[in-house]
Amino acid sequence: MGKKSLKLGFYLLFALSLVSIVGLSYFTDITERSPLVLCQSWWAFPPTKEVRYYTTPEKIIIKPWLGQHHVYGVFMIPTGYRYDYLFKLSLPGENTRCGAVQPTSESLVPDVDVKPGYYLLKGYLNTRIALRLIFQGHLNQLKQPENWKLGYFKPRKKSVFSKKHTRNTGSNQTSQ
């Protein structure tokens, strides 16, 4: 009876260890993935009474085989303007997709001449979404700048008594 219970205890410990490792790796995989963002997110497109302009990327990089953050558009907007938190990718016959926008340094973007009075932003498309679109035959459409749109607007001038600042535009300016 002693050997059977020892053997049973070993198998039980082995099974529990296996389930724990698989469960932990599954949980870690889910938490490390970049979040998918809905285009209808209330925070993604700041409401404004000002005119909202739209721009297309100056350059598009599509290299998902290099891993995360290798599918993006480089947008250029005027200094002093605020931008939407997400850009929109609209391909014919597909749902509109969105991606996160972040300021970037000019030195990190070769082959893009920044106009005076402008700054650069990178709009990142989720790698899994990009791969899915490529496998569905949309690579040429992904490369078309007119399918990528980023909204931006001139914020209202704030009173000199206001302590709120505009979002960082890469030049650390505050609104007046």
Side-chain angles (χ1 to χ4, degrees), residues 1-174:
M1 181 102 182
K3 284 187 175 183
K4 279 190 175 184
S5 63
L6 184 62
K7 202 174 198 181
L8 182 61
F10 175 75
Y11 286 131
L12 183 60
L13 182 63
F14 178 75
L16 287 174
S17 298
L18 184 62
V19 168
S20 297
I21 291 170
V22 170
L24 183 62
S25 66
Y26 177 75
F27 177 74
T28 304
D29 183 48
I30 287 176
T31 58
E32 286 183 357
R33 289 184 185 179
S34 57
L36 295 176
V37 181
L38 297 176
C39 291
Q40 295 81 17
S41 299
W42 61 270
W43 52 267
F45 307 99
T48 181
K49 293 182 181 177
E50 306 304 316
V51 176
R52 187 177 303 270
Y53 304 97
Y54 291 90
T55 186
T56 57
E58 302 293 315
K59 183 176 183 177
I60 298 172
I61 303 296
I62 302 174
K63 297 180 181 178
W65 49 88
L66 295 178
Q68 282 186 319
H69 311 302
H70 286 90
V71 180
Y72 59 89
V74 179
F75 297 91
M76 188 181 324
I77 66 170
T79 303
Y81 281 71
R82 289 188 58 189
Y83 52 89
D84 293 339
Y85 297 99
L86 299 176
F87 73 91
K88 290 184 179 183
L89 175 67
S90 302
L91 302 180
E94 288 289 322
N95 292 333
T96 298
R97 308 278 194 331
C98 288
V101 178
Q102 295 179 349
T104 189
S105 169
E106 295 174 25
S107 62
L108 297 177
V109 185
D111 303 328
V112 174
D113 295 324
V114 182
K115 300 175 193 172
Y118 283 75
Y119 65 100
L120 298 180
L121 302 165
K122 280 186 181 179
Y124 293 96
L125 183 63
N126 186 286
T127 305
R128 286 173 282 150
I129 291 173
L131 285 170
R132 186 178 308 128
L133 291 170
I134 291 168
F135 291 141
Q136 291 174 348
H138 296 291
L139 178 60
N140 287 333
Q141 292 171 332
L142 271 175
K143 292 179 180 179
Q144 301 302 314
E146 62 270 10
N147 293 331
W148 300 60
K149 299 265 190 266
L150 174 64
Y152 64 97
F153 58 93
K154 182 81 168 174
R156 281 192 173 168
K157 297 244 183 227
K158 303 229 187 271
S159 127
V160 290
F161 302 108
S162 173
K163 292 184 180 181
K164 291 186 178 177
H165 300 281
T166 58
R167 285 183 56 209
N168 183 359
T169 61
S171 58
N172 294 331
Q173 295 179 346
T174 59

